[in-house]
Amino acid sequence: MRASQILRRAAALVVGCATACGAGPTGSVGSQGAEPFPAGTQLAVRTDAGSASNSPEADCLRGPTGSDWRILNSHILDLGFDSRSHWLRVTMPATTSLNKSSSDAFDAFLVFQHHMVELVYYCAPDGVQRAGSLVPFPEWPQKLRFPAFRLRSTDESPVFYFRVRSDWILNFPLRLFVSLDDYLLYIQRWQIVQFSLLAIAVVVSLLYAGWFIISGRLMELYFGLLLITTSMTLFVVYGDAYIYLWPDSPATQRFAMKFTTALAAVCSCLFSRPLLKSHELPLLDRGILAFTALQAVSVVCAFFPVLTPVNLAIMYLTPFAALGILLPGIWMQMRRGQLPARLYLLGWIGFLVAFALNAAVFQGWVDYSAYFVYAPVFTAPVAFGCFALGAYRRSEADSREAALLRERFAELSRQLAEPERAARTSAPANDVSSDASGDADSQRQRAAGEADDAPAAGRQSQLGGVDVTEKKRLLLEAMHSERLYELEDLRLEVLARHVDLRPHQLSELLNQDLKVSFSEFVRKFRIDAACDLLADPTNEDSVLQIGYAVGFGSKTAFNRSFTELVGVTPGRYRNQARRA
């Protein structure tokens, strides 16, 4: 079994495990399990009438004033977009008997279950404590995943006050844990899931990197980059990256969110080109390149906080706009029976639906739901399973097409060599002149026979009376001796005029007799010439220079054509040929 096949099957197996892992444990993370608060607990909020306070610590020391509290009907702190400071009051029932550190003490942990809440102040009896995304992690009172505060009181019905402020939407749940062990168990479950999925993503990316090294196919490299950048994005946005990577810099966390998201979008565009074979549809290819450039602008914007609105606009709008604009091209590929296009579309629709649900929560359009918030995390393993299967199917289809193309070109070489062999074994000129009439008759019979053998396709053959064998010899001479393939803009009309045929006659000769198209015919000689130059130990030209020398107009076209026909990249072929 070839090494590339082993790597492909290993990658498929690991992606399958990731899909199973993502569909299983992650579901338990979002669920609340037990009730988030004891029965009888009251949550109430009060919003400042003016702008956000410049001294929340002083507000905590003074305490809340006024009686216009709004009672929350659930454990969801749903205040929408409001950058003002808010008071939060938590009143425990008199019958509470949870994890008392002594016979008359209340002791529990209140958790704000969203790590992007910017500032939370706990007005504790022994001083003000603070946490949130704008507070360096080492300054948090509890060094845990979410802003958490330890609540202690000896009152019969303890009451606790908090100050909350955030420019992001305030739409997330609160939860009370009666002991530190309960909260640590909750965090450990989430960490097992996120680090397991991250480790699987790294392993799969390495497998695809190895696959790329062996095969030289860019699609495998792009898939590995897409997988690792998307996994890092999920780790930064939904995971604990801020705890382990930059605990002292909240600004780095905000930059990483924008940068990794934009970088994953760039890798997605790059991956879609070889998967969808967009070079076959120029409009589709140009659209993908345009969106790649737009996402690259978003990557640059991530470095400048003043350009954050531009970055967010591109991040939210581009995926849906891209799918809408590129959908016709994808549909055309699907109409051709392209299974990779169907899998790609299925994976991205899943991702877009997940991000739409996520955005609906954080835009305040729907009530909080853990499944909506973490929908991208749940969807990622399934979507990447579709992408991996699509990449595998594309590789298999391309391998079959390349094998068939090599067989056709081998047959083409055999047919083109026949006139040359006939010329070397022909009779002397005087014998030819003496038998001219017989040759003319045989030529007319052969031409008639070839015309009869050509597929009718509803029209008469245009090769009647044409010496097909002689035209093949002239074609071979034009390519081998005169090297017309080196002309980058070589057209059917130019080659037809060179061999004294009309364009439609040459097209019929190539399609019906030689079984190749004009572009395939020219590409065959260009690749043969490139192989000779690459294998020549005295040739010091670069791969790109050789590509231009044999008639290709770009490095991408040269690499793609060479890999399809030869099976390896030009650079790898040069190394192998010179070692041999």
Side-chain angles (χ1 to χ4, degrees), residues 72 125 231 248 361 489 525 527:
L72 299 179
S231 301
D248 297 323
V361 173
D489 58 346
F525 288 96
I527 297 301

Side-chain angles (χ1 to χ4, degrees), residues 61 122-129 141 149-152:
L61 294 176
Y122 170 39
C123 306
D126 54 350
V128 178
Q129 301 175 7
F149 303 91
R150 190 169 190 175
L151 309 182
R152 292 178 176 177

Side-chain angles (χ1 to χ4, degrees), residues 65-143:
T65 58
S67 58
D68 51 340
W69 292 88
R70 177 168 66 90
I71 307 300
L72 299 179
N73 296 323
S74 69
H75 65 288
I76 306 298
L77 186 63
D78 186 5
L79 300 177
F81 288 98
D82 193 340
S83 60
R84 296 176 297 177
S85 291
H86 308 273
W87 283 99
L88 171 65
R89 184 182 68 195
V90 181
T91 305
M92 305 304 299
T95 57
T96 299
S97 57
L98 303 175
N99 190 31
K100 293 183 179 181
S101 56
S102 64
S103 59
D104 57 351
F106 173 81
D107 192 358
F109 292 86
L110 181 66
V111 181
F112 291 74
Q113 290 186 273
H114 182 42
H115 64 268
M116 288 310 297
V117 58
E118 293 186 340
L119 288 171
V120 180
Y121 295 88
Y122 170 39
C123 306
D126 54 350
V128 178
Q129 301 175 7
R130 66 177 191 151
S133 64
L134 296 183
V135 181
F137 185 72
E139 299 180 16
W140 289 19
Q142 306 296 327
K143 309 301 187 293

Side-chain angles (χ1 to χ4, degrees), residues 457-520:
R459 63 182 180 84
Q460 187 177 2
S461 172
Q462 300 295 320
L463 295 177
V466 175
D467 187 351
V468 175
T469 302
E470 175 64 15
K471 298 306 179 183
K472 289 181 182 179
R473 188 189 66 79
L474 292 177
L475 283 173
L476 189 64
E477 180 180 339
M479 291 299 176
H480 278 174
S481 302
E482 303 179 39
R483 297 188 296 189
L484 291 184
Y485 57 82
E486 293 181 355
L487 298 175
E488 180 184 340
D489 58 346
L490 179 62
R491 300 188 306 275
L492 178 67
E493 295 81 2
V494 175
L495 184 58
R497 188 166 54 250
H498 196 82
V499 297
D500 195 23
L501 285 175
R502 291 189 296 274
H504 59 270
Q505 288 179 316
L506 177 59
S507 178
E508 183 177 339
L509 174 63
L510 294 174
N511 294 328
Q512 304 298 343
D513 197 275
L514 299 180
K515 308 300 183 185
V516 293
S517 65
F518 171 73
S519 60
E520 291 175 341

Side-chain angles (χ1 to χ4, degrees), residues 14 40 60 92 259 288 397 425 432 439 447 579:
V14 176
C60 274
M92 305 304 299
F259 178 76
I288 293 176
T425 60
V432 174
D439 288 344
R579 282 198 303 266

Side-chain angles (χ1 to χ4, degrees), residues 369-391:
S369 168
Y371 292 103
F372 284 9
V373 171
Y374 293 101
V377 180
F378 304 152
T379 308
V382 179
F384 274 100
C386 292
F387 294 159
L389 184 57

